[in-house]
Structure formats: C-alpha cells, structure tokens
Amino acid sequence: MAQDQEIDGRISFKYDSDWNTLTELDRFRKELCDDILEPYILNQRWYGGKASALKYIEIIDCFPIEDDQDLFYGIVLEVNFKEAFVHNYFLPIAFVTDQSLIGDKFIAHLNLNGTAGFLVDALLLESFRKQIFEKILEGEKYRYKEVAYRRGRSNTAQSYESSKLIGVEQSNTSIVYNDSYILKIFRRVYVDENPDYEISKYLTMKGIFKNTPKYLGSITLKFSNKNVITLGLMQELVPNQGDAWEYFVHNLKLTFEELSRQKPKLETLRPTRYLGQIAITDIPPVLLAWCPVEFFEDVSQLALRTAQMHIALGQERVNTAFTPQAFSSDYSVWLKNRLIYQFENRINLVENNLHKLEGLQLDLANELLSKKKIIRKQLLDFDEALLKSERLRIHGDYHLGQVLVKDRDFYIIDFEGEPESTIRDRKVKQPPIKDIAGIFRSFNYAIYATIFNNFEQYSYDLEELFEVAEVLYSHIVGVFLKTYINEVQTANLNIGYIKEIEFLLQYCLLEKAIYELGYELNARPRWAIIPLKGISNILNQQHYE
C-alpha cells in the first residue's frame, strides 16, 4: 500500500492506482470523505452548513463525465450534521499535473502510481467546462447512462468559443459561455427536479413571460429509477447594469441626501393608508420634491413585471405542476405547522441572543417577546374557508437581489425558492401575494439599510429618519399595489378582493419578517434590527391609518 507524504505542510495522498480506476478504491473513497473533503468544503462559498456541526461525509453517487480526451468524475456527497439533518452537494473532480492551470486552488495533493498532481474542482478547468457545454449542444439526453444533457429549443449556439467562471452566488457556481449563455451548476442539490429548472423551462416553452432569461438546456443526474437530481441549468445571459438591490439602494442614497439638503418639515410628510393603493399622479408634491417621480416609475415598472410573471404562472390548465388551486384545509395545516415551528425557532434565537443586543435593537427584541402570543395567534388565524383566491407556483424567494436591471426595465431570475425550505415545500402552490410581501420587505430593507449605513451624514436624528422611512415605504407599497392589482385583475388572475389581498399581504409580511429575523441573527446580527423594526411596524399598523 502506498504511504502518504507531506508537501508544503499538506499531506500528499498516494495510491497504487491511476485516475481511471481511483474512484473504485475503498481507501480513496474513505480518505476523500474523512480527510480530504471535510476541511475543503468548510471553506467553500457554496457550503451551507457553516452554522452547524459536521458529523461525517458520504459519497452517495459517483459517475464519469468523459469524452475521447478527458475523464472527470461527478460526485454527490451526503453531508451529515450532528443536529440530525443532511445536505447533498455536487462536486465535479479532476486530476491535473500542471499547477499553472489551477494555481493554489486545489483540493489535495495526489500521487497516483508515482505521478504527482492535484485533485481539483473540475469547474476550474476549461477542458471540463467545454465538454459539458458541447454535451448540452449535442442534446442527446439518452446517450449517457447516468446523466441526461438536454438542449432547449431556444438554444441557437453553434459551437464552444469561450467560458469563464463567475463566483458571485452563495449556493451555486455559474459559467458564462461565448459571452451569451450562462450555465448555473447547482452545488446544493436535491433528489427532485430543481424549481429553478422547472419554472425557467415552463416560462420559456410557453413563451408567456419575456422578462426572465430563456431556458436553453440542463444537466440531470438519473439518481435512481424514479428519482433525478438537477445538476445544471443553462439560460440566456441577460446584459444588465446589476441587480435591483444595488439600483434602488443607490437611488435611495441620493434621495436621502436630497432630503437632507432641503430639510422639509416632517409634519408636512404623511404616509398613505396602510396597504392602500396610490397612483403616481397622486403622490404629493412635497414628497416628489426630494424623491423624484422616476423612482416611483421604476417601482411601478417592477410591479408590472411581477404581475406579468404571476399571470404567466397562473394560466396553466393542463400541466398539474402549474395549474392554480383553491385554498384547502391541507394547505392551512401545512402552513400553520411550518410557520409556528419557524416562529418558535426565532423566539428561541432572540432569547438566546438577548444579551448581545443593546439600545433600539434590545427594545425591539423585548417588544417582540412581549407580543409573542399575539403573533402566534395571528399565524394561527389563517382560515382557508374565508379565502376565494387561488394558489399558484410562485417565485418563492422574491427580493430585489433576484431582479436584474437593464435600461430601467427588470428581469426576474433565480426561481429556486427559500433556501431554508425543503425541495417539496418550495413546490407547494402559494398565494402570489407572498412574492409581493417578499419584495415589500426587500424595499423596507433597502430603505433602512440606507439609513443605518449613512445616518450620520443626514440632517435628522434616527427617529426622524424612521418617520421619513415609513412615509417613503408606504408610497412605494401604494404605487406597487396600484399597478400590480390593476394588471393581474385585468388578466383575470384570481388574487381575491381587496380585503382578502390585504389580509394575505399582512399575513405574508409578518411571515417574511419572522423568516428574515432568523437569517440575520445567524449571519449578521447587526442587521437584525431591520426585521425587528419590520415586525414592530407590522404589529403597530394603526400608525398608518
């Protein structure tokens, strides 16, 4: 048996095997899981278990990805955590001897039958990226035993020209091909079709929503006779000037700077009726003096695209995965169980972190704890018998970061759903109003993030800026709702009457703010003040009346 050695302070794993047969060695598979991958994945952006204690890793599938010149392997890992849950991850691997191809970005030193080299993430290699692109263009989904490569009907690519990695996503890795196409490789994977793949394909094949990247192909692992895992989704690359979060935060910063220059009397600024609709032409001049009308035109345009997305997702009458459904007792039970569990989790988080909070954060946290019975009752008050609207497949994780901006128009991306949810929960049909609540919470975040990051530059104290924030936010909500509701009702999408819309919106806003609180307390506690403030405002809604 070959003995491992140390190179540059790192172990070189030696095997009496070549690359073609390495994955068949029990010793390699054991050391890959126990010694090689455990320290490696902890440092990867796409690894979602950083807040949990890793127990052990297993390989649950390993398959070749090869052509006449190169052999790579795709491995699906099951990461088991001490808290008794698991994640699955996809990692394509390669063996290279030329370090200039990968620099210091390697997983481990390997010595195979006397040949020294490196185990690497295959996505770093152009030869791998080229191979999978060409297999998608080939589009023969039954040619390979384990993996189906599909080419979308809208895919006009002729051949491979170039590729580059863009590593901006948290849970995926994307490759830009020929400066025209983008292939998203899913790192966290599920034994089921990924919702992003399903919805992207549906919207493109039906040709009913233009403001989302076209579906151009996919890579699917045949995990078993009845189960598949979506490994990759290819779409058109939409030229853009960044996402809507950056866009609106930039414009909000300019707006608050103008407010500070003008210094209007705050008593002249009035919020709209809570969740009331407002036309752009009805926005008071005292507000437009420091927040330009173009800002609200952008809000209205985003509302229009959101409405068109929901209209497209709500018009199916044949494909049962997309046909609208009425509310039911089964849905209510699912919803309440899920939300009460989530709410109790957040309450525990707040209680455990109370000693870290101070000032306004601490006040808001104590307000939340004092009103937990009221919130629990609101969550349990969901009554499907009173709802006449329909549930649809929705975006599910809709916020400003999921929208691209191009020439003051908006393109909606990333239909994977909430990262915390199971794959089945992400496919449950929900009220489209839940997406609206998501975008409203995102606007609320954008406003408060602008205040918290820059308030020392403004001519008002924090409490006064909060008053301005609520005036501005209420008008954003009003303009968005006016455009959205008019568009979907004109298209006969059943979202219910105004009272039902307002009930669902209030309910979903509270749900989203509670969800956000867990993320912030775990990931960036300083920002927990934003969902805490949001929950307080939702509970004290009479402030707007």
Side-chain angles (χ1 to χ4, degrees):
M1 180 183 289
Q3 295 298 306
D4 297 336
Q5 295 178 332
E6 198 167 288
I7 300 175
D8 300 329
R10 293 178 63 169
I11 294 175
S12 175
F13 295 87
K14 297 183 71 175
Y15 302 98
D16 296 325
S17 169
D18 59 22
W19 179 242
N20 289 356
T21 57
L22 182 65
T23 59
E24 297 167 18
L25 286 185
D26 288 341
R27 177 177 159 240
F28 170 71
R29 293 171 76 107
K30 178 168 174 42
E31 290 184 342
L32 181 66
C33 292
D34 296 349
D35 304 318
I36 297 174
L37 288 180
E38 194 163 314
Y40 171 76
I41 67 169
L42 290 173
N43 294 313
Q44 301 310 301
R45 281 176 61 87
W46 43 261
Y47 176 61
K50 293 181 176 68
S52 302
L54 193 153
K55 189 175 180 184
Y56 63 88
I57 299 173
E58 281 186 304
I59 295 172
I60 58 171
D61 206 351
C62 178
F63 51 93
I65 301 170
E66 61 186 320
D67 59 15
D68 295 338
Q69 296 171 299
D70 297 296
L71 169 64
F72 307 99
Y73 293 101
I75 55 176
V76 178
L77 303 169
E78 182 179 272
V79 179
N80 290 263
F81 296 96
K82 290 178 181 174
E83 294 91 335
F85 67 95
V86 301
H87 285 177
N88 292 335
Y89 291 96
F90 171 58
L91 178 66
I93 56 173
F95 177 67
V96 297
T97 54
D98 182 357
Q99 191 170 359
S100 68
L101 293 172
I102 46 109
D104 61 354
K105 295 179 180 176
F106 59 90
I107 300 170
H109 291 283
L110 292 187
N111 189 305
L112 305 182
N113 276 340
T115 301
F118 305 89
L119 181 70
V120 302
D121 183 334
L123 286 168
L124 295 172
L125 305 176
E126 184 174 16
S127 55
F128 177 76
R129 301 194 298 263
K130 180 174 185 285
Q131 185 184 139
I132 57 176
F133 181 79
E134 290 178 341
K135 284 179 173 172
I136 289 173
L137 293 197
E138 183 183 82
E140 295 181 28
K141 61 184 177 183
Y142 300 115
R143 178 173 178 180
Y144 305 98
K145 183 181 175 185
E146 289 96 345
V147 184
Y149 299 88
R150 291 179 172 83
R151 175 174 181 151
R153 292 177 197 165
S154 302
N155 192 331
T156 58
Q158 298 298 308
S159 61
Y160 174 88
E161 296 168 17
S162 64
S163 64
K164 60 183 176 185
L165 285 178
I166 51 170
V168 293
E169 303 102 325
Q170 200 66 30
S171 57
N172 309 307
T173 302
S174 290
I175 311 162
V176 173
Y177 287 101
N178 301 0
D179 294 322
S180 300
Y181 316 101
I182 187 163
L183 175 63
K184 183 190 295 183
I185 298 294
F186 298 107
R187 298 297 203 156
R188 174 98 187 267
V189 293
Y190 305 88
V191 184
D192 202 345
E193 287 185 334
N194 191 292
D196 202 9
Y197 159 73
E198 279 187 300
I199 293 177
S200 175
K201 188 174 181 181
Y202 174 80
L203 291 175
T204 302
M205 301 290 273
K206 293 287 181 177
I208 42 183
F209 181 54
K210 306 296 185 186
N211 280 62
T212 191
K214 284 181 185 173
Y215 165 79
L216 300 178
S218 62
I219 305 171
T220 304
L221 175 64
K222 303 166 196 170
F223 187 66
S224 67
N225 288 338
K226 291 187 177 179
N227 294 301
V228 298
I229 294 176
T230 309
L231 300 179
L233 169 64
M234 180 172 279
Q235 296 172 298
E236 69 173 328
L237 182 66
V238 176
N240 63 84
Q241 290 100 41
D243 66 38
W245 171 266
E246 297 164 348
Y247 180 77
F248 279 107
V249 165
H250 171 74
N251 288 336
L252 282 165
K253 197 164 180 290
L254 296 178
T255 292
F256 276 96
E257 286 169 3
E258 185 60 30
L259 174 81
S260 275
R261 273 193 291 273
Q262 295 190 16
K263 298 179 186 170
K265 292 181 180 178
L266 296 190
E267 56 267 26
T268 65
L269 304 176
R270 299 284 301 167
T272 65
R273 183 183 71 82
Y274 183 65
L275 304 183
Q277 300 174 55
I278 184 169
I280 292 177
T281 51
D282 293 331
I283 297 173
V286 68
L287 179 54
L288 294 177
W290 49 270
C291 185
V293 70
E294 289 81 6
F295 183 93
F296 294 104
E297 288 170 354
D298 289 339
V299 170
S300 178
Q301 182 68 7
L302 180 57
L304 176 67
R305 297 308 183 204
T306 306
Q308 290 168 344
M309 171 184 71
H310 286 152
I311 292 162
L313 288 169
Q315 69 175 31
E316 181 60 39
R317 292 296 177 266
V318 178
N319 181 350
T320 54
F322 286 92
T323 48
Q325 281 182 284
F327 286 91
S328 65
S329 57
D330 286 347
Y331 174 79
S332 294
V333 169
W334 170 84
L335 181 71
K336 291 174 187 178
N337 285 342
R338 189 165 170 264
L339 296 192
I340 292 299
Y341 172 82
Q342 190 178 86
F343 178 61
E344 299 299 345
N345 170 273
R346 277 21 176 199
I347 291 296
N348 287 334
L349 263 178
V350 171
E351 289 173 342
N352 293 337
N353 284 276
L354 214 53
H355 64 285
K356 300 177 187 175
L357 307 180
E358 56 186 28
L360 181 60
Q361 255 195 335
L362 182 60
D363 293 342
L364 290 169
N366 281 321
E367 180 190 6
L368 170 68
L369 295 176
S370 72
K371 293 183 175 179
K372 61 185 179 183
K373 288 183 180 177
I374 296 170
I375 298 172
R376 193 181 289 111
K377 183 178 184 302
Q378 282 200 24
L379 294 175
L380 290 172
D381 272 351
F382 190 91
D383 184 356
E384 74 282 350
L386 300 177
L387 301 174
K388 307 303 178 190
S389 58
E390 291 182 315
R391 298 179 287 123
L392 323 170
R393 287 293 293 273
I394 62 170
H395 186 286
D397 189 30
Y398 196 41
H399 55 77
L400 294 170
Q402 307 282 42
V403 180
L404 299 177
V405 183
K406 179 188 176 187
D407 301 328
R408 293 186 68 197
D409 202 358
F410 300 97
Y411 293 79
I412 300 167
I413 60 172
D414 289 341
F415 290 85
E416 280 193 77
E418 280 181 352
E420 264 192 37
S421 299
T422 67
I423 196 72
R424 287 191 174 83
D425 281 355
R426 297 183 199 193
K427 298 185 180 199
V428 171
K429 290 164 187 169
Q430 305 233 50
I433 294 300
K434 183 173 179 179
D435 279 345
I436 308 307
I439 212 77
F440 286 176
R441 290 295 310 140
S442 197
F443 272 117
N444 193 264
Y445 254 71
I447 294 168
Y448 279 94
T450 303
I451 290 172
F452 288 126
N453 289 334
N454 306 283
F455 74 88
E456 288 154 352
Q457 304 168 28
Y458 302 142
S459 307
Y460 297 91
D461 64 32
L462 209 50
E463 284 299 322
E464 290 173 324
L465 288 169
F466 287 168
E467 287 182 45
V468 174
E470 292 311 311
V471 171
L472 188 53
Y473 175 65
S474 73
H475 283 82
I476 290 171
V477 166
V479 167
F480 192 106
L481 283 176
K482 180 79 172 175
T483 302
Y484 176 85
I485 291 171
N486 181 64
E487 188 71 15
V488 296
Q489 289 185 338
T490 301
N492 293 318
L493 185 69
N494 183 5
I495 61 167
Y497 293 101
I498 294 304
K499 287 294 181 190
E500 182 171 341
I501 293 168
E502 290 182 356
F503 165 77
L504 286 170
L505 194 46
Q506 169 79 357
Y507 191 93
C508 293
L509 282 167
L510 186 58
E511 175 191 348
K512 293 297 287 186
I514 291 167
Y515 172 83
E516 292 158 4
L517 183 57
Y519 177 83
E520 300 303 354
L521 285 172
N522 284 322
R524 44 184 189 184
R526 193 174 71 86
W527 280 51
I529 193 167
I530 299 179
L532 282 169
K533 183 78 175 122
I535 293 168
S536 177
N537 288 345
I538 293 163
L539 294 175
N540 299 306
Q541 61 188 274
Q542 62 272 15
H543 166 73
Y544 299 90
E545 298 294 348

